[in-house]
Amino acid sequence: MYKSMYMTCQKVWLDRYVVVLISEVSANIEGLIVQFSLSLVGTHIDAVYHTSVVLGGIEYFFGQGIQTSQAGTTHHGNPMEVIDIGHTDLPMELILEYLESLKQIYTAESYDLFMKNCNNFSNDFSMFLVGKGIPDHITSLPQTVLNTPFGQILRPQLDSAMRSITQAPTPTPPAQMGTSSTASDIVTLTSGGSINKASQAKVINATTLQDVSLHLDAARSRCAVILFTSATCPPCKLVHPVYEDLAVEVGDKATLLKVDIDKAYELASEYGITATPTFITFLESQQENRWSGANPSQLRGNVSLLIQAALHPHTKLNVQSLLGVDLRPILFTKLPPLEKLKAKMGNVAEEPIIKSVLAFIAARDSSTNSVVTTVPDLSAFNIFLDESKNLPLENLFPLIDLLRLALVDPRISGFFAELGNFSTIARLLDRINSQSPCPYSLNLVALHMCCNLFSSPIFKRLILQDAVFSSLLVRLLSASFLDDSHSTIRSSAASLAFNIAAANHKLRKEERHQGLPNDETVELLASLFETLGTELIDADTIKQLVAVIGLLVYLAPQDGEIFDLCMAMDAEGLVKEKERITGADQVVKDVGRVLLAKGLSNH
């Protein structure tokens, strides 16, 4: 069995398959529970399960917070069953962001054997990765026990007896299984139990034209270097250590490839290599420079110039206050009296799935039941929402508010994000956008609901990359900014615009690609400039709008419509004029006096 599990994990490492390991919690304790379960609780229990999720050779489980280990090396020993539940194409960065959001839910202090255990975590994580959870007979077992009189009586004793096992420390640090020719993600735990990714860039060995093409294409928005070398070339050995050090120093600013021409004749012929070492540099996939010789100073100098050419001129501007803005999303988490919300729903509140969602929200926000976190049937909730999109507006409002409250939980926002084209929420937004004018209460709760979509890292990425959905958001924002009767609408719209701009800024800055489609960015900026030009907004809203403008303009394509719009609408003068209202706010000064004054000067 263990050999089979190990082979499965090797498959996981290579192919991004996701497996669930099912183990016995403890052979001794489990034996007693199984033996006496019928007489004590009136129900026969076959086993007491511990589950974990394996991805990329790393085993993820919940005990002392979210923990990780090399697959198959935890204190729970060999698994009794291995379930291959599917394949994920989600990028590792996104998965780690999601786990980071879950650490606020799955803390060591919140562990509860019956209501919040390893199986709840495995179910949530697998739902996120592949859209389906672990077997129902595992997740339902605690409630089966609690539904019996003796189960309730024995609950404290069982919870206490199992603590030393379920919350034992991780025996070994996480490690990778298998090898890869590319820089790999290594998952570690900080002392506080959070999950971080440590990536150490390294030279990528390429042997085929396809290898080189793929890596150059991946680096098309920045730069790359290819070193052509040979095992029989003594000068090459002098530059190998320098080249390896450079890869670590430049990190993700450049991709460094190495080709051994003794093993890659086709590549040597394609690039006309007649001597080694030879270096070729690429800027945005186009050949930029070429030289031969083992001169470390020349190598370092040329790579430095290459990276400078690849970097956007905005990186040379002193806008530290703008770049220091807290990019965490603005969420609207205030809980209204649930009885009043139910009353507004009318008969809808009696639907089983609505009762379940209301109970989940009440339990989640109750200090006495803070450990209850099992999410309701999200598939049923999605179907109900989709069927309710044409409800009368007075009935649609409380349903959108219920969705707003549910989306605060990243597990729920992550679920809706993974639905194709955000179909359900997109149809709800389309209905709301079709109202002219949109009723105040519906408009406000729609803005708050959209802000809460950003509780999940997967939504933050996918929102920006889906032209249809991002267009729906910008339409909602544009109409909301035009509302000159309600300051709360404009303020809430500014919050949603900030969430969009912050997510887009992170993509540009960290991954060097445009997230929000260009047309939507231009339309959003035009609405922001128009709103900023009115006298109807207060100082705090002005500060937020200027920060949004700054985040949308910073690192924007230099030859695109964004710069043209800024010039045409005199964005510099518009922002500078608002300094008299915002006083000495440094972000406003950074955007007006530096970014818009100097960052557009070469356009």
Side-chain angles (χ1 to χ4, degrees), residues 1 70 199 206 222 259 287 302 318 388 392 420 472 475-476 533 552 578 589:
M1 172 61 73
Q70 182 174 317
S199 289
R222 48 189 195 279
V259 174
Q287 186 169 321
N302 285 347
N318 183 12
S388 304
L472 288 170
R475 279 176 57 197
L476 177 66
L552 289 174
K578 297 303 175 182
K589 290 181 178 179

Side-chain angles (χ1 to χ4, degrees), residues 131-201:
K132 62 181 179 182
I134 65 176
D136 290 340
H137 72 275
I138 296 177
T139 55
S140 63
L141 179 59
Q143 194 59 51
T144 300
V145 174
L146 290 180
N147 286 341
T148 67
F150 273 106
Q152 291 286 355
I153 294 171
L154 294 174
R155 176 178 177 175
Q157 289 83 357
L158 289 172
D159 194 8
S160 176
M162 302 292 277
R163 286 276 170 171
S164 61
I165 301 167
T166 57
Q167 292 197 284
T170 305
T172 55
Q176 294 171 324
M177 298 179 65
T179 59
S180 174
S181 63
T182 61
S184 302
D185 294 312
I186 301 175
V187 181
T188 59
L189 281 175
T190 67
S191 58
S194 63
I195 297 177
N196 293 325
K197 182 189 70 174
S199 289
Q200 186 177 44

Side-chain angles (χ1 to χ4, degrees), residues 113-130:
L113 180 65
F114 290 89
M115 303 305 296
K116 191 176 184 182
N117 55 46
C118 57
N119 302 320
N120 299 122
F121 167 75
S122 296
N123 191 65
D124 288 343
F125 192 27
S126 60
M127 278 289 294
F128 173 78
L129 291 172
V130 298

Side-chain angles (χ1 to χ4, degrees), residues 348-400:
V348 169
E350 299 305 315
E351 294 288 338
I353 184 57
I354 298 302
K355 285 184 175 181
S356 176
V357 175
L358 284 167
F360 165 76
I361 292 170
R364 183 190 65 192
D365 291 275
S366 169
S367 59
T368 58
N369 291 296
S370 59
V371 297
V372 182
T373 62
T374 303
V375 296
D377 185 342
L378 297 181
S379 295
F381 189 35
N382 173 62
I383 292 171
F384 187 86
L385 288 171
D386 196 44
E387 292 174 348
S388 304
K389 60 184 178 293
N390 293 319
L391 282 173
L393 296 182
E394 61 270 18
N395 297 118
L396 188 61
F397 159 72
L399 201 57
I400 298 295

